[in-house]
Structure formats: C-alpha cells, structure tokens
Amino acid sequence: MEKVDVVALGELLIDFTENGISAQGNPIMEANPGGAVCNVLSMLSGLSKSTAYIGKVGKDIFGKQLTEAIRSVGIDDSGLVVDDNVNTTLAFVHTYEDGDRDFSFYRNPGADMMLTVDELNLDLVRNCRIFHYGSLSMTSKCCEEATFKAIEVAKKSGAIISFDPNLREPLWDSLDHAKEEISKGMKQCDILKISDNEIIWFTGKDDFDEGVEELRKQFNPKLITVTMGKDGSRAYYGDKIVSVPGFVNKNTIETTGAGDTFGACVLNYILEQGLDGLTEDDLKKMLTFANAAASIITTRKGALKVMPTKEEIEKLACS
C-alpha cells in the first residue's frame, strides 16, 4: 500500500457543546464530532496530507455519525472498528466566559477504550510517515496494549512518533496512574506536544524552560512544543528555544480543539521540512502558522468539521 502521511490511534467521540439557551432556559447542546487525535487528522487532511485513523466507535447513531464525519473530511477509516456491545463515548463540554472548558464524560466503558491488539490495522501503521497518539487510549488495559503494539510496529517501520498527553483527569482512576502511563508515552516519542498546565502537573515546575529540561533528562524527544493559550507557544529543539506570541482573537468563543489544531500544524511542518537540521527561523515559522490556526479554531463551535483552511491561516499568520 502507499505511504500515509499520518496515522493516529485514539479516541473518536461526540463533543456535546453548548450552543445557546432554549425557551425554557436550558442549555442547547450540539453533537459535534470530536476526539483529539481525529481533530489532528482533520486539520492535516485540510492541509492536503494523507491521513488514517485507528480506533473504535459503538454500533449506535453516534458511531454512524462519527464514521460519516471522518470520511467527509478525508480521513481514511479502514482502521475504524465498530463495537456491537459498547456505546460510543460522549463528552459534554461546558464553556466558561473566557472560552475555557470543563468536561463531563460518559465512558464507563466507552467504545474507544475497548480497542484490542487483534483489531489493529497494522498495515496502516507499517506504512505511515508519522504515527500519532494521545493518552486517552491508555486508560484501559486492552487499548493500552493496542497503543503500545502500534507504537512498536511504527518505530520498527521507521515512522516518526508523535505524542500529545492531552490529560483528562476524570478519565483516570488516579493521577498517579495517569503519570505512569503518560511517562510510557513520552518515552517512545520523537515529537512531544504538551500544554503549560500539563508541564506544571507532570514536572512540578512553574518555569516551562525548567520543566522541559526535566522532560528532556527523562525522555529526550527531538522536538518539544509547549502551548500556552493566548500567550502563544514555545519550541525546544537541540540547544534552541523559540517563543512566538499567540494571536489573541476578539471573536474567541471556546478553545475546544485549539491544541489539536496547533499540533497538526506542527506535524504538517515536519512532514514538509523533516525533523533534522531545523533552524530558529524554521521553528518560528512553524509556531507562527500553528498559533494562527489555533486562534482561528477558537472562533468556531467544535473542531473536527470546521478546521481552518491553509489560506485562512496564512492570512492571519502574515497579518
């Protein structure tokens, strides 16, 4: 089979996001397709990269909606499995006035956490340029085993390994368990995308430079990017540290998918430029484009089906 630019394994779910108030004064919830790794793939597909998803949904109306959604944005679904017995995972998202969010998950269990090693489409994994994953697929034993089997196969096939911890505290039985599994994920990756809050939680360091230094001592990925919300982002590569301010958008309504959009743009840059020999100018260009894309997605409800176009991103990045 032909090489696929990015294959991702992880959650595919429905994000019920608030979209107005009913006549009775109740919040109206819109069923948006979501899931961090598929948000990443959707943005990459929009940037003309070939993408494929490995994961699981339920045999229900939401599973059908999600299958149609990823197909509609150009994601190969040949690695998607349908579970006859477990429903699709649902997340209800409450948005605060500043655009930040709070999540309530219906996933005990959810189909995404039931993927097994035997259900993996390893042909996709063997034929990808980048393999991307998060930590939600590590919250159950069977899906954790599937995740690390896929990583093993991807590494043997020469793929670049990309990891976004994407910590969701309610989905772990304890934060100690979360730290243990996320450590395993960090140990395997070449590219680590991590948020400011996750660095503080994982390393105990408020200074991000110190926090990243701690991560490098333990895991030593080639490239670490840190997202800092409206303050922008930072890249750590070799002896280089590059910071780029964020694009503060007065039309921001929620931040769902902002980190995923950012991460996708970083992977897009690596696909086009490679992971070796990056200069400070390269890193600045990469972060500027990624920051602009993340800013745009905060002006829209949901993420997977409303990713910004390359033209929109370039226009903001050059403004």
Side-chain angles (χ1 to χ4, degrees), residues 163-165 186 191-200 203 205-213 215-216 223-237 241-246 258-259 262-263 266 286-287 290-291:
F163 179 48
D164 177 358
M186 289 183 180
I191 300 172
L192 173 64
K193 180 261 165 197
I194 189 166
S195 72
D196 46 8
N197 291 335
E198 288 164 346
I199 282 195
I200 295 168
T203 68
K205 307 283 188 183
D206 292 321
D207 183 294
F208 302 143
D209 292 348
E210 292 180 5
V212 167
E213 187 59 31
L215 295 177
R216 282 176 147 177
L223 172 65
I224 299 177
T225 59
V226 178
T227 54
M228 304 179 294
K230 65 179 186 232
D231 294 326
S233 60
R234 220 172 268 179
Y236 298 80
Y237 179 84
I241 302 174
V242 175
S243 296
V244 174
F262 173 94
V266 168
M286 179 186 76
L287 294 180
N291 286 356

Side-chain angles (χ1 to χ4, degrees), residues 9-10 54-56 81 83 86 107 109-120 135-151 172 177 181 184:
L9 183 154
I54 297 174
K56 197 177 233 190
V81 181
D83 195 304
V86 180
R107 186 185 186 247
D112 71 289
M113 58 195 290
M114 304 306 290
L115 184 73
T116 67
V117 169
D118 292 340
E119 293 170 324
L120 290 173
S135 71
L136 269 66
S137 62
M138 303 172 187
T139 54
S140 72
K141 189 63 178 174
C142 66
C143 198
E144 179 211 22
E145 291 174 353
T147 301
F148 285 100
K149 177 62 177 179
I151 294 169
W172 293 93
H177 183 207
E181 294 298 324
K184 292 180 188 177

Side-chain angles (χ1 to χ4, degrees), residues 263-278:
C265 292
V266 168
L267 297 186
N268 183 69
Y269 195 88
I270 298 306
L271 286 167
E272 294 180 353
Q273 303 296 324
L275 191 52
D276 296 323
L278 295 173

